[in-house]
Amino acid sequence: MKQKVTLKQIAKELDVSISTVSKALKDSVEISLDTRQKVKAFAKLYNYKPNNIALSLKNRKTKTIGVIIPEIVHHFFTTVIGGVEKVANEKGYNVIICSSNNSFDKEVINMEMLASGSADGFILSVAKETQLKKDYHHIQETMNQGMPVVMFDRIIDEIVCDKVIIDDTKGAQMATNHLLSLGCRRIAILTTVDYISVGKLRTNGYLNALRSYDIVHDDSLILKIEDIDHCEEEIEEFLKDKDIDAVFAVNELFAVNAIKVLRNSGKNVPEEVRVVGFTDGILAKHFIPSLTVISQHGEEMGERAATILIDKLEGSDDLTEEYKTVIIDTSLVERQSTKK
Amino acid sequence: MKQKVTLKQIAKELDVSISTVSKALKDSVEISLDTRQKVKAFAKLYNYKPNNIALSLKNRKTKTIGVIIPEIVHHFFTTVIGGVEKVANEKGYNVIICSSNNSFDKEVINMEMLASGSADGFILSVAKETQLKKDYHHIQETMNQGMPVVMFDRIIDEIVCDKVIIDDTKGAQMATNHLLSLGCRRIAILTTVDYISVGKLRTNGYLNALRSYDIVHDDSLILKIEDIDHCEEEIEEFLKDKDIDAVFAVNELFAVNAIKVLRNSGKNVPEEVRVVGFTDGILAKHFIPSLTVISQHGEEMGERAATILIDKLEGSDDLTEEYKTVIIDTSLVERQSTKK
DNA sequence: TTGTAGGCGTTATCAG
DNA sequence: CTGATAACGCCTACAA
């Protein structure tokens, strides 16, 4: 079992110095054509590849991006990762992905681990627990150490850094407006508890839309779901005997469960109740009826985040004190769940 | 913007030598209690963290596992990753994930990139293209360089290494048997083209099951789908006017589309046609009717793969020439799509 | 045209 | 008890 070949070994075999080999491999004119060819042939033969670790140490950069997300088994996040990977690979960067599993502690551990030499910068969507706990020292610290951080989707207002988000409020407003424009007036919303930033914003969008139609919102039509694992029960309880003509759900799962519950109680979607969801995932596309949703364009988010991060990484270190917040457009994808 | 603190800096500040600092931080008895405390206090204050890169270089290992999968936006694979991350993190390993996007070239590039210093070993599920092309030099090479590789799910028989798979044949047989035991006799199969290893195996399982019931298989009931993006059309064309009482689909998407097509042509699932899928994902759980499927226990696969890899990484380098193939049990998850 | 030396951050060995 | 030195693999300025 042969080990990896190093410059040193090649040098010894060829009886030249290490730096000669190094230069020859870079086609430096300092080295005679003859030696160059000899070295390169030898290197190819032994399948020489420079050791990334050594390069990282020398150059004080790893050429890898750390991505930390709340859940890896989640279509939206993997879509974003797809976007990140795409531009990262184009620009010669590696991507390390860690999931915090929505745990504050795991987020901190992962971040510190990657920050101590494994990554040059971060793309981050914070854990639920972090949003609840409001403890952001780990993020602040890695930024203080000079590593750029780009947050996306679940961001933290108090932290000053680059951000890529969608306008959740506007998206929710768009969704609700769509229902209103179809004539719906008693629109229920299935949302999350307030400490989830995106849930709160989407609730606000819903309220805005109602207001713009001069409708006074009815608190009994608002369900803030605490436990996503038991959302079906919560939704069932909530929708029971409720007089509504539409549902706006802040994610796919809530939307699908709403349809299920409605159907079980004899109400058809979209004929009697229209449903709009948020996030354009697998379920939305393949469910019957297929779901009208607000698409977040996850891949684009990932691409933008990666572009910003890499620009910062490669830009002159001086003018880095500018932070931008990019807002990705959402769009309404009309499908069967709101058809006439 | 303060930079990361190094031993050197601490040493200078405290006016001691680098090695004293290093030892003090490790609580070496060589160092006086006094100095130890001083150093540690200072280190804490400046939030010193040893630089992973330097450690990697020194120790000749990175403590990270490279995972290469065909698609990141895929529930099964992310489930597996979840399992890998779980045991990796427990054992102090990092996980780098790269997707090959089912491209041979990207698989090679990613593998070489990670192999040249970024990872100590690999967990790999090969790209479609690689299976088609049958070019495995990159895998063989990284193994030759002494890096262990564990393959899972989409494996390559010709490569000798550790493997974690399910018994696809048996799983498919179980699925088909279930349909047969319910009295179905004209069972269609929606499968993939043969070069996808798992597709072929599942087809075999289907055939085995029929054989065990002394049923001669009917080629007109076998659809090998080429283009997964247009599977709905293919399925529609195929099922049109077909006299069947059950469908076995080798993945969720095929199953869901089958149900859709059947319903559109006026056949109810499960009343008139029963459907079984493979892979227990989001769709299976939430579709209406919910899908009876063969569960692959992805998380467990990931855990096993990671355990095997880490054992190999940490085991004595001598007795590494043993390779095992772990077969994870599949199980039938009964849901509505096969209910009476 | 080639080689030497120093350094990236750390640890281990050995000398003081 | 403390410190100097070498080494991990690579690169580069500066000799020779």
Side-chain angles (χ1 to χ4, degrees):
Chain A
M1 191 185 295
K2 47 181 170 179
Q3 277 300 308
K4 279 186 243 177
V5 194
T6 68
L7 288 186
K8 200 186 199 176
Q9 292 166 35
I10 300 184
K12 194 159 77 179
E13 295 284 331
L14 259 42
D15 205 36
V16 292
S17 80
I18 296 179
S19 54
T20 303
V21 177
S22 174
K23 286 172 188 162
L25 287 175
K26 308 196 115 62
D27 248 336
S28 160
V29 285
E30 285 184 53
I31 308 296
S32 71
L33 203 73
D34 202 45
T35 332
R36 262 186 276 169
Q37 287 174 338
K38 214 183 323 178
V39 170
K40 287 203 277 188
F42 199 88
K44 205 157 297 163
L45 180 64
Y46 279 81
N47 192 26
Y48 170 79
K49 294 260 163 43
N51 180 322
N52 284 334
I53 294 289
L55 287 178
S56 296
L57 187 58
K58 177 121 198 56
N59 302 328
R60 276 110 151 297
K61 53 182 155 187
T62 62
K63 282 272 195 179
T64 103
I65 294 176
V67 177
I68 300 180
I69 51 174
E71 298 164 74
I72 178 91
V73 188
H74 191 306
H75 185 265
F76 168 67
F77 288 119
T78 54
T79 311
V80 175
I81 293 172
V84 171
E85 276 212 313
K86 192 174 145 201
V87 335
N89 288 353
E90 269 169 18
K91 308 210 175 182
Y93 280 76
N94 233 312
V95 178
I96 298 193
I97 296 155
C98 291
S99 85
S100 62
N101 247 315
N102 271 317
S103 138
F104 171 78
D105 289 336
K106 250 194 103 184
E107 185 174 292
V108 174
I109 290 173
N110 279 328
M111 193 135 196
E112 290 185 345
M113 176 150 69
L114 296 187
S116 50
S118 305
D120 296 335
F122 288 90
I123 292 178
L124 166 68
S125 189
V126 296
K128 258 184 220 170
E129 237 185 72
T130 309
Q131 298 203 123
L132 225 188
K133 207 163 173 171
K134 291 174 182 290
D135 180 347
Y136 316 132
H137 76 275
H138 54 303
I139 304 173
Q140 204 59 67
E141 250 163 35
T142 85
M143 289 181 61
N144 287 344
Q145 288 176 357
M147 322 187 70
V149 172
V150 179
M151 309 221 294
F152 75 95
D153 196 53
R154 296 202 196 153
I155 64 164
I156 293 168
D157 289 326
E158 292 93 317
I159 298 251
V160 180
C161 67
D162 292 295
K163 291 166 187 167
V164 179
I165 50 174
I166 57 163
D167 190 333
D168 283 286
T169 311
K170 203 165 126 197
Q173 211 165 328
M174 196 189 298
T176 314
N177 273 333
H178 181 60
L179 293 169
L180 288 163
S181 75
L182 291 169
C184 305
R185 283 303 175 267
R186 292 197 49 80
I187 305 174
I189 178 172
L190 307 179
T191 183
T192 64
V193 284
D194 275 344
Y195 65 80
I196 307 284
S197 61
V198 297
K200 183 166 187 185
L201 294 172
R202 290 173 197 172
T203 309
N204 288 343
Y206 161 84
L207 295 173
N208 288 350
L210 293 183
R211 210 170 299 128
S212 75
Y213 269 69
D214 286 324
I215 297 177
V216 181
H217 76 267
D218 177 349
D219 278 339
S220 78
L221 295 184
I222 299 179
L223 174 63
K224 295 187 179 176
I225 292 170
E226 179 94 35
D227 180 6
I228 199 165
D229 290 327
H230 298 97
C231 67
E232 189 171 350
E233 290 90 315
E234 288 191 50
I235 292 172
E236 184 161 15
E237 177 65 23
F238 171 76
L239 287 181
K240 200 196 301 182
D241 308 319
K242 203 139 272 181
D243 173 33
I244 55 170
D245 51 17
V247 172
F248 167 50
V250 301
N251 61 42
E252 274 189 331
L253 196 59
F254 294 174
V256 161
N257 277 302
I259 293 179
K260 208 171 290 184
V261 166
L262 287 166
R263 187 175 307 173
N264 286 343
S265 65
K267 290 189 190 152
N268 283 325
V269 176
E271 292 81 1
E272 295 165 73
V273 180
R274 305 248 168 72
V275 174
V276 177
F278 217 104
T279 298
D280 191 17
I282 312 263
L283 270 174
K285 224 164 287 164
H286 297 289
F287 200 73
I288 304 179
S290 56
L291 257 51
T292 295
V293 290
I294 300 297
S295 164
Q296 302 172 85
H297 301 193
E299 183 154 6
E300 193 187 340
M301 287 186 87
E303 289 171 18
R304 291 301 291 273
T307 307
I308 293 174
L309 185 64
I310 292 175
D311 279 356
K312 198 137 276 189
L313 250 20
E314 306 199 328
S316 48
D317 298 5
D318 316 322
L319 32 129
T320 47
E321 297 308 332
E322 258 174 47
Y323 298 106
K324 54 184 147 205
T325 295
V326 173
I327 298 175
I328 305 285
D329 273 338
T330 53
S331 53
L332 182 81
V333 181
E334 254 188 282
R335 297 211 184 86
Q336 293 166 356
S337 68
T338 59
K339 280 267 163 61
K340 284 267 170 183
Chain B
M1 192 185 294
K2 49 181 170 181
Q3 277 298 306
K4 280 187 243 178
V5 193
T6 68
L7 289 186
K8 201 187 201 176
Q9 293 167 34
I10 300 183
K12 195 160 77 177
E13 294 285 329
L14 259 42
D15 205 37
V16 292
S17 79
I18 294 180
S19 43
T20 303
V21 177
S22 173
K23 285 171 190 163
L25 287 174
K26 307 197 116 61
D27 247 335
S28 161
V29 284
E30 285 185 59
I31 307 295
S32 71
L33 203 73
D34 201 47
T35 332
R36 262 186 273 168
Q37 287 173 339
K38 214 184 323 176
V39 170
K40 286 203 277 190
F42 199 88
K44 204 157 297 162
L45 179 64
Y46 279 81
N47 193 27
Y48 169 79
K49 295 260 163 42
N51 180 322
N52 285 333
I53 293 291
L55 288 178
S56 297
L57 185 59
K58 180 122 199 50
N59 303 329
R60 277 111 151 299
K61 55 182 154 189
T62 62
K63 281 275 196 176
T64 105
I65 295 176
V67 177
I68 301 180
I69 51 174
E71 297 164 73
I72 178 91
V73 189
H74 192 307
H75 185 266
F76 168 67
F77 288 119
T78 54
T79 311
V80 175
I81 293 172
V84 172
E85 277 212 313
K86 192 174 144 199
V87 333
N89 288 353
E90 270 169 19
K91 307 210 177 184
Y93 280 76
N94 234 311
V95 178
I96 299 192
I97 296 154
C98 290
S99 85
S100 62
N101 247 315
N102 271 317
S103 138
F104 171 78
D105 288 336
K106 250 194 105 183
E107 185 174 292
V108 173
I109 291 173
N110 279 328
M111 193 134 196
E112 291 185 344
M113 177 150 68
L114 296 186
S116 50
S118 305
D120 296 334
F122 288 91
I123 292 177
L124 167 69
S125 187
V126 296
K128 259 184 219 169
E129 237 185 72
T130 309
Q131 299 202 122
L132 225 188
K133 206 163 174 170
K134 291 176 183 288
D135 181 347
Y136 315 131
H137 76 276
H138 52 303
I139 304 174
Q140 204 59 66
E141 251 164 34
T142 85
M143 289 181 61
N144 287 344
Q145 288 176 359
M147 322 187 70
V149 172
V150 179
M151 309 221 295
F152 74 95
D153 197 55
R154 296 202 198 153
I155 63 165
I156 292 168
D157 289 327
E158 292 92 319
I159 299 252
V160 180
C161 67
D162 291 295
K163 291 166 186 168
V164 178
I165 51 173
I166 56 163
D167 190 333
D168 283 284
T169 310
K170 203 165 126 198
Q173 211 165 327
M174 195 190 299
T176 314
N177 273 333
H178 181 60
L179 293 169
L180 288 163
S181 74
L182 292 169
C184 305
R185 285 301 175 270
R186 293 198 45 83
I187 304 173
I189 177 173
L190 308 179
T191 183
T192 65
V193 284
D194 276 345
Y195 66 79
I196 308 285
S197 59
V198 298
K200 184 166 187 183
L201 294 172
R202 291 173 196 173
T203 308
N204 289 342
Y206 161 84
L207 295 173
N208 289 350
L210 293 184
R211 210 169 298 128
S212 74
Y213 269 68
D214 287 323
I215 298 177
V216 181
H217 77 267
D218 178 348
D219 277 340
S220 78
L221 295 185
I222 299 178
L223 174 63
K224 295 188 180 175
I225 292 169
E226 178 93 38
D227 180 4
I228 199 163
D229 288 327
H230 297 97
C231 67
E232 187 170 351
E233 291 89 314
E234 289 191 49
I235 292 171
E236 183 160 17
E237 176 66 24
F238 171 76
L239 288 182
K240 199 195 302 182
D241 308 321
K242 203 140 272 179
D243 173 32
I244 55 171
D245 51 18
V247 173
F248 168 49
V250 301
N251 61 42
E252 275 190 329
L253 196 59
F254 294 175
V256 161
N257 276 302
I259 294 179
K260 209 172 288 185
V261 165
L262 287 167
R263 186 174 308 174
N264 286 343
S265 65
K267 290 187 192 154
N268 283 327
V269 176
E271 293 80 1
E272 296 165 72
V273 180
R274 305 248 167 71
V275 175
V276 177
F278 217 105
T279 298
D280 190 17
I282 311 262
L283 271 173
K285 224 164 288 165
H286 297 289
F287 201 72
I288 306 181
S290 56
L291 256 53
T292 296
V293 291
I294 299 297
S295 164
Q296 302 172 85
H297 302 195
E299 183 154 7
E300 192 186 340
M301 288 187 86
E303 289 172 18
R304 293 300 293 271
T307 307
I308 293 174
L309 185 64
I310 293 176
D311 279 357
K312 197 137 277 187
L313 249 20
E314 306 200 327
S316 47
D317 298 4
D318 318 321
L319 32 129
T320 47
E321 297 309 331
E322 258 174 45
Y323 297 106
K324 54 185 146 205
T325 295
V326 172
I327 298 176
I328 304 283
D329 274 339
T330 53
S331 53
L332 182 81
V333 181
E334 253 187 282
R335 296 210 185 86
Q336 294 166 355
S337 68
T338 58
K339 281 266 165 61
K340 282 268 170 184

